[in-house]
Amino acid sequence: MSKIDQSTPGLIQLDDKISYKDQHIYAQTDFPKSYEYFHIMGHQESHLKRRIEILQKHPEIKILFEPDQTSLWLVITFVTIQILLSILLKDTHWIIFISSCYLISGTLTHSLHVLVHDFTHFSCFHDLFLNKVAAIVANIGQGIPTAISFGIYHADHHKYLNIDTYDPDLPSKWELQYIKGPFMKTIFILCLPLFYSLRPVLTRPHQPTIYEFTNIIVVILTNYILHQLFGIYPVIWLALGTYFGLSIHPFAGHLIAEHYEFINKLETYDYIGWINFFNLNIGYHIEHHDFPMIPWTRLPLLRKMAPEYYEKYPCHPNYVYTIYNYIFDKQIGPFSRIHRDQKIE
């Protein structure tokens, strides 16, 4: 295993030797690294330090902390559209069905995934119970009962960001060993939903909760009713759309873009572009980790209120470029993550 890098991470202090604004982000991946394990650094959690500093300088940001019910209305709209389309398109030619599923259901299920993510941070309601109910309702439009489990493990991602085994977003030892070269990295992208759902359960499982069992019952019951009334194709529309939306889909590129180390010592990245309209601002990812309690609707406002903390960093210009470079750049792979060598109490 590599020695611990005790230098300052990029989110705290930019390295003068690296071009952060002028040079293309994907041209900066060739720096000294281990290809067998993560980049081990000895710093404390960067976003926590940034949060304290930003609030000291911009206390007015606290006004953004209030919940926003926009997510609830979007969930009702998206789930309704999903169910109606699953019924209306069930008898179409298979080419039309599959292509529509990719373009429409894949986009809607991905948006629902981002909304579930928002409920995970309790940013729609003050009440924890209402946020969990909203997440389960959103999950109906995805057809696969994962919302509550995702919330549990996603909380670990924030609490233990970039700590091996504890952060479920970090690749597993199996991935480090076998996901190498364009072919296996393509397989990884195609199987992203499988890796992201099984990885935390296999590496550090939590005890199931009553909310998870409720989530499973509600989604399976909804699928059963759809199947009984309209056949299997509406259920396929929901589930296949979820697979498309979280795998080989341009909007799913944020799953790679957010934390892979494209630039030396930089552990979190933004995407600022038109896809944020459909991805509900998930591209404002540095902002999100700095202040996970701020609803997605207000993350652009956070960037405007504290521009000196955000605009100096490079952004991913295009999620398709991100996926392409992940697959074909030999300098990028499961090892392209920062692991913070921090003792867990």
Side-chain angles (χ1 to χ4, degrees), residues 13 38 80-81 124 165 174 183 224 239 297 299 311 333 345:
Q13 182 179 344
F38 310 123
T80 301
I81 293 172
C124 188
T165 305
W174 187 93
F183 176 76
Y224 175 77
T297 52
L299 290 175
E311 292 183 356
E345 300 295 338

Side-chain angles (χ1 to χ4, degrees), residues 168-179:
D169 195 61
L170 280 175
S172 65
K173 291 179 174 61
W174 187 93
E175 292 166 70
L176 284 166
Q177 185 174 356
Y178 293 106
I179 307 299

Side-chain angles (χ1 to χ4, degrees), residues 276-291:
N276 277 327
F277 176 81
F278 296 97
N279 273 10
L280 308 180
N281 291 335
I282 197 69
Y284 291 85
H285 214 65
I286 298 177
E287 292 85 344
H288 169 64
H289 270 272
D290 284 348
F291 296 95

Side-chain angles (χ1 to χ4, degrees), residues 34-233:
S34 165
Y35 296 92
E36 306 299 324
Y37 193 65
F38 310 123
H39 181 179
I40 307 172
M41 298 191 70
H43 63 280
Q44 297 296 304
E45 214 272 274
S46 300
H47 292 284
L48 175 59
K49 184 173 181 178
R50 286 168 54 86
R51 186 182 312 140
I52 294 170
E53 184 177 325
I54 293 170
L55 283 175
Q56 287 175 344
K57 190 172 181 179
H58 296 282
E60 68 276 10
I61 283 173
K62 292 180 182 179
I63 198 173
L64 303 178
F65 291 1
E66 278 298 304
D68 184 350
Q69 278 78 53
T70 301
S71 294
L72 176 64
W73 302 113
L74 285 179
V75 161
I76 294 171
T77 302
F78 292 165
V79 171
T80 301
I81 293 172
Q82 272 288 83
I83 293 176
L84 287 176
L85 287 177
S86 74
I87 297 168
L88 292 172
L89 296 175
K90 65 183 178 68
D91 295 321
T92 56
H93 190 277
W94 69 269
I95 294 178
I96 296 175
F97 183 86
I98 294 295
S99 58
S100 298
C101 190
Y102 179 84
L103 293 171
I104 302 173
S105 185
T107 299
L108 288 172
T109 55
H110 190 274
S111 295
L112 287 169
H113 169 74
V114 178
L115 289 168
V116 167
H117 167 263
D118 211 49
F119 298 133
T120 293
H121 292 287
F122 313 128
S123 57
C124 188
F125 303 99
H126 286 291
D127 186 86
L128 181 148
F129 173 76
L130 292 178
N131 282 286
K132 289 187 180 291
V133 170
I136 293 173
V137 173
N139 207 190
I140 290 173
Q142 296 177 293
I144 301 175
T146 56
I148 300 300
S149 297
F150 168 79
I152 292 171
Y153 290 107
H154 186 70
D156 282 348
H157 168 56
H158 279 263
K159 184 177 181 180
Y160 304 113
L161 181 65
N162 291 335
I163 299 178
D164 194 9
T165 305
Y166 289 87
D167 179 359
D169 195 61
L170 280 175
S172 65
K173 291 179 174 61
W174 187 93
E175 292 166 70
L176 284 166
Q177 185 174 356
Y178 293 106
I179 307 299
K180 298 178 180 180
F183 176 76
M184 287 302 296
K185 287 195 281 187
T186 301
I187 296 298
F188 173 75
I189 295 293
L190 289 171
C191 298
L192 261 178
L194 193 63
F195 280 101
Y196 270 78
S197 59
L198 291 181
R199 183 194 294 153
V201 177
L202 295 175
T203 57
R204 190 170 173 266
H206 284 284
Q207 192 72 22
T209 69
I210 187 65
Y211 287 110
E212 287 180 274
F213 289 120
T214 304
N215 186 178
I216 293 169
I217 292 169
V218 168
V219 173
I220 290 179
L221 181 60
T222 303
N223 289 346
Y224 175 77
I225 293 171
L226 283 172
H227 177 262
Q228 289 297 107
L229 294 177
F230 305 104
I232 191 61
Y233 284 100

